[in-house]
Amino acid sequence: MVELKTDTSIDAMYAAGQVVGQALTAVRNAADVGVCLLELDEVARGVLRAAGAASPFLGYRPAFAPVPFPAVICASVNDAIVHGIPNGYRLRDGDLVSIDCGAELDGWAGDSAISFTVGTPRPADIRLVETAERALAAGIEAAVVGNRIGDIAHAIGSVCRTAGYGIPDGFGGHGIGRKMHEDPSVPNEGRPGRGTLLRHGMALAIEPMVIASGRDGYHAAPDGWTLRTNDGSRAAHTEHTVAITETGPRILTAR
């Protein structure tokens, strides 16, 4: 069931989203050659703690997961698409990093992700990240009252496929509110005019994922969480929590 939020609830979600944005900004600023992924997780924990917010990631265990998630960020490097568990890996020059973070504040959740390069960027990685960001912008632009979920999915998929990139099947965005994951699902590819009708008060986490090689294949790493490209090519992931309103989409996790 899709829950419609009141304007007051959307404002509360904006407060949670701002904590997420602050955490991602702090992690991005701390990320440098030689920095450990666990250190980045500690940076995000500090931001959440200072804001009095909790993490919807920490301890989360969906049906597919062998263990609860042990961190407050997902840190996915190079060929990792999403759900990377922060560990002792130290960032190297040229790494492509995707950071996903959430926050729960006063009973409401926010969820957002960024991708960036560390040190000397590869031109191909810059293009990959820029495409993911353009796909996110296109998806948000389509998130208007009267459109349907398929319009968002089509907007995202069109940008990604036109650029020649792959899209991991079965993974995409989702509704969000009292919980991090709510109805409806928001695919990253689809047919326009199909799916759930967008109404004032809906809140969605829109999150494109792109694979550089143009192939869609992926697999779960031995940790049971990290999703990696089958061919070892690099991936990027971007995300915002967005409210559907009569005056247009409102980005709740704007940085």
Side-chain angles (χ1 to χ4, degrees), residues 2-196:
V2 177
E3 177 193 4
L4 299 180
K5 281 73 176 177
T6 66
D7 291 346
T8 300
S9 296
I10 291 173
D11 287 341
M13 289 186 67
Y14 178 82
Q18 291 309 288
V19 176
V20 178
Q22 292 163 15
L24 288 174
T25 297
V27 169
R28 174 66 184 91
N29 290 340
D32 203 352
V33 175
V35 173
C36 174
L37 297 181
L38 286 171
E39 293 171 341
L40 297 182
D41 187 66
E42 284 299 324
V43 169
R45 287 174 189 253
V47 173
L48 296 181
R49 187 165 49 247
S55 169
F57 289 17
L58 185 63
Y60 179 59
R61 188 179 184 182
F64 68 81
V67 296
F69 196 78
V72 304
I73 62 170
C74 297
S76 306
V77 181
N78 296 332
D79 67 326
I81 307 168
V82 287
H83 302 164
I85 296 177
N87 54 28
Y89 178 83
R90 294 192 176 276
L91 294 173
R92 301 171 183 173
D93 187 52
D95 275 347
L96 173 57
V97 183
S98 296
I99 302 292
D100 194 353
C101 185
E104 291 177 341
L105 184 67
D106 297 327
W108 295 99
D111 189 8
S112 186
I114 56 173
S115 288
F116 55 86
T117 56
V118 174
T120 307
R122 300 181 183 183
D125 288 345
I126 293 175
R127 178 173 175 265
L128 187 69
V129 172
E130 288 177 344
T131 300
E133 292 174 345
R134 285 194 295 108
L136 176 58
I140 293 172
E141 186 177 358
V144 296
V145 171
N147 270 0
R148 293 184 178 272
I149 289 293
D151 294 304
I152 297 175
H154 178 72
I156 293 170
S158 295
V159 172
C160 299
R161 294 300 189 190
T162 298
Y165 295 136
I167 300 171
D169 183 47
F171 284 86
H174 48 87
I176 186 171
R178 291 286 184 182
K179 299 179 180 179
M180 178 172 60
H181 290 139
E182 297 182 352
D183 291 333
S185 62
V186 186
N188 285 329
E189 193 168 31
R191 297 177 63 182
R194 301 294 183 93
T196 303

